[in-house]
Amino acid sequence: MRVENFFRCLISFLLIFISHCRRDDKDTRRVLVIGSTGTGKSTLINALVGYPARKTSSGVKGCTGSYSSTTVIHGGLHYDFIETVGLNEPDGGTVSQSDALGKFLMFLKNNAKGFNLIIFCMREGRLTVQDKITYQLMIKDLYSQVKTEPPPVMLFVGGLFVEHAHPQDWCAKNRNIFVNQGYVEATADLDGIHCITFPAKAQNPKLEAVYMETRSESKNRAWDLISKNCLSRPRPFYNTVPEMASLGVYLWNLLVKYAAKIPVGKNRTLKDAMGWTFIVSKDIMDILVKMGFTKENLASAALSYYGLA
């Protein structure tokens, strides 16, 4: 299997490399894949690509600004899957605020073209605080500074769905739960919620035969949905460098605000765990310092200045 995977990777790399020279933006579909850690983002990408391009371990070190990109050719088009790290306390440790902010701004800079489609991954079962915040930050807030609407959003729910003959039956049954939580894509007319499941290979041959069919069906359905809903052109979320800087500060302060709502232990939030603080521009900071604000007051002032209070 390792040899087989190696040659799959090699062939895929060569195809991408050869076609890269004649690659045109109009032939590229940029797909942002978001979701909390452990919701199946990497599993989805690996299934779509056809080989283990992404590690599925949750032991990462970084923040939601950390991301990776995987390219695959499908139907004669390039698909760039941009996967972000979820809003969870990373098992691999934390990074300094300056490094985390740098990664966040780099994400904005390197993805200036925007996205043709956004895939939001969740797990079967209870909707978490992290899910709601990731949805708000990386879709609604990300596109809040431009007049255009975000690109189409697909809600992919992962799990085994063992109580249902077909995975999609679970999504149909629970559609209203998602709608009531603010996930408008789950409404029947938009039909943007889909159960996509990729169970790990089973040791039992009979069970594996069922799982193999399930994985194949999910992969084909996922590609059909992605191909159908991807825009022909990406939608940017800012237009100029100053807008990028302003958006970066705005999103970072929102991220810190949201992180204060995510519990990661007893009397401890993600904001505490990561050591994140609000930021303001140097000019505003100088003014506030001259006015005698303390660090606590600066945080409060930053919230008010950016309309986050």
Side-chain angles (χ1 to χ4, degrees), residues 10-11 97 176 182 267:
L10 179 61
I11 292 172
Q97 169 154 315
N176 289 337
N267 300 322

Side-chain angles (χ1 to χ4, degrees), residues 65-168:
S66 302
Y67 73 98
S68 57
S69 180
T70 304
T71 301
V72 64
I73 301 173
H74 180 80
L77 298 173
H78 288 81
Y79 286 85
D80 289 343
F81 291 98
I82 297 94
E83 176 193 356
T84 65
V85 173
L87 282 173
N88 302 70
E89 183 178 12
D91 297 335
T94 62
V95 294
S96 67
Q97 169 154 315
S98 60
D99 288 343
L101 180 58
K103 291 177 181 293
F104 197 74
L105 293 175
M106 190 61 68
F107 167 80
L108 300 181
K109 176 180 179 294
N110 291 346
N111 292 284
K113 293 179 180 179
F115 306 104
N116 303 66
L117 177 72
I118 298 177
I119 295 177
F120 181 47
C121 294
M122 292 176 284
R123 297 294 296 178
E124 173 192 9
R126 183 175 64 89
L127 295 172
T128 67
V129 175
Q130 289 94 324
D131 289 332
K132 297 176 184 177
I133 290 176
T134 301
Y135 175 86
Q136 178 65 36
L137 181 72
M138 297 304 293
I139 299 176
K140 306 302 181 182
D141 295 332
L142 182 65
Y143 278 87
S144 65
Q145 305 298 298
V146 291
K147 296 180 180 179
T148 57
E149 292 290 323
V153 177
M154 302 299 298
L155 309 178
F156 280 6
V157 183
L160 288 179
F161 311 103
V162 293
E163 297 180 358
H164 302 274
H166 302 286
Q168 191 59 19

Side-chain angles (χ1 to χ4, degrees), residues 12-249:
S12 179
F13 172 79
L14 290 174
L15 287 173
I16 294 171
F17 179 78
I18 292 171
S19 62
H20 185 78
C21 298
R22 55 192 179 193
R23 182 176 176 180
D24 193 309
D25 281 348
K26 68 180 181 180
D27 297 325
T28 301
R29 303 292 184 264
R30 293 174 48 78
V31 182
L32 178 63
V33 183
I34 61 175
S36 301
T37 302
T39 54
K41 301 186 298 292
S42 296
T43 299
L44 171 66
I45 293 174
N46 288 342
L48 295 173
V49 172
Y51 63 91
R54 304 298 311 148
K55 291 184 178 180
T56 57
S57 170
S58 62
V60 294
K61 182 177 181 179
C63 67
T64 195
S66 302
Y67 73 98
S68 57
S69 180
T70 304
T71 301
V72 64
I73 301 173
H74 180 80
L77 298 173
H78 288 81
Y79 286 85
D80 289 343
F81 291 98
I82 297 94
E83 176 193 356
T84 65
V85 173
L87 282 173
N88 302 70
E89 183 178 12
D91 297 335
T94 62
V95 294
S96 67
Q97 169 154 315
S98 60
D99 288 343
L101 180 58
K103 291 177 181 293
F104 197 74
L105 293 175
M106 190 61 68
F107 167 80
L108 300 181
K109 176 180 179 294
N110 291 346
N111 292 284
K113 293 179 180 179
F115 306 104
N116 303 66
L117 177 72
I118 298 177
I119 295 177
F120 181 47
C121 294
M122 292 176 284
R123 297 294 296 178
E124 173 192 9
R126 183 175 64 89
L127 295 172
T128 67
V129 175
Q130 289 94 324
D131 289 332
K132 297 176 184 177
I133 290 176
T134 301
Y135 175 86
Q136 178 65 36
L137 181 72
M138 297 304 293
I139 299 176
K140 306 302 181 182
D141 295 332
L142 182 65
Y143 278 87
S144 65
Q145 305 298 298
V146 291
K147 296 180 180 179
T148 57
E149 292 290 323
V153 177
M154 302 299 298
L155 309 178
F156 280 6
V157 183
L160 288 179
F161 311 103
V162 293
E163 297 180 358
H164 302 274
H166 302 286
Q168 191 59 19
D169 292 343
W170 187 93
C171 282
K173 180 181 178 181
N174 294 277
R175 185 186 301 277
N176 289 337
I177 295 177
F178 288 88
V179 175
N180 292 336
Q181 292 291 328
Y183 299 100
V184 296
E185 293 79 12
T187 56
D189 57 331
L190 293 178
D191 194 29
I193 183 169
H194 294 272
C195 294
I196 305 293
T197 180
F198 298 102
K201 185 175 181 179
Q203 296 296 323
N204 185 297
K206 292 184 178 180
L207 183 59
E208 172 55 19
V210 175
Y211 280 3
M212 183 180 298
E213 182 179 352
T214 300
R215 290 194 296 266
S216 177
E217 189 275 337
S218 284
K219 177 180 179 178
N220 292 336
R221 188 151 53 89
W223 267 123
D224 287 343
L225 292 166
I226 292 170
S227 302
K228 175 183 176 182
N229 289 280
C230 252
L231 298 175
S232 59
R233 292 287 185 181
R235 285 184 181 169
F237 41 88
Y238 66 87
N239 298 303
T240 65
V241 173
E243 288 180 0
M244 184 205 78
S246 176
L247 178 63
V249 173

Side-chain angles (χ1 to χ4, degrees), residues 229-305:
N229 289 280
C230 252
L231 298 175
S232 59
R233 292 287 185 181
R235 285 184 181 169
F237 41 88
Y238 66 87
N239 298 303
T240 65
V241 173
E243 288 180 0
M244 184 205 78
S246 176
L247 178 63
V249 173
Y250 176 71
L251 291 177
W252 176 265
N253 284 328
L254 277 177
L255 174 61
V256 175
K257 178 185 178 183
Y258 294 153
K261 299 179 180 180
I262 300 176
V264 295
K266 186 177 181 181
N267 300 322
R268 192 166 179 250
T269 68
L270 181 63
K271 177 177 178 290
D272 301 325
M274 301 299 287
W276 291 341
T277 60
F278 298 102
I279 60 172
V280 294
S281 68
K282 184 178 184 301
D283 292 338
I284 298 299
M285 178 68 78
D286 290 341
I287 293 173
L288 293 174
V289 169
K290 289 179 181 179
M291 293 175 64
F293 282 96
T294 64
K295 290 184 178 180
E296 291 74 18
N297 286 333
L298 284 176
S300 176
L303 283 173
S304 299
Y305 179 76

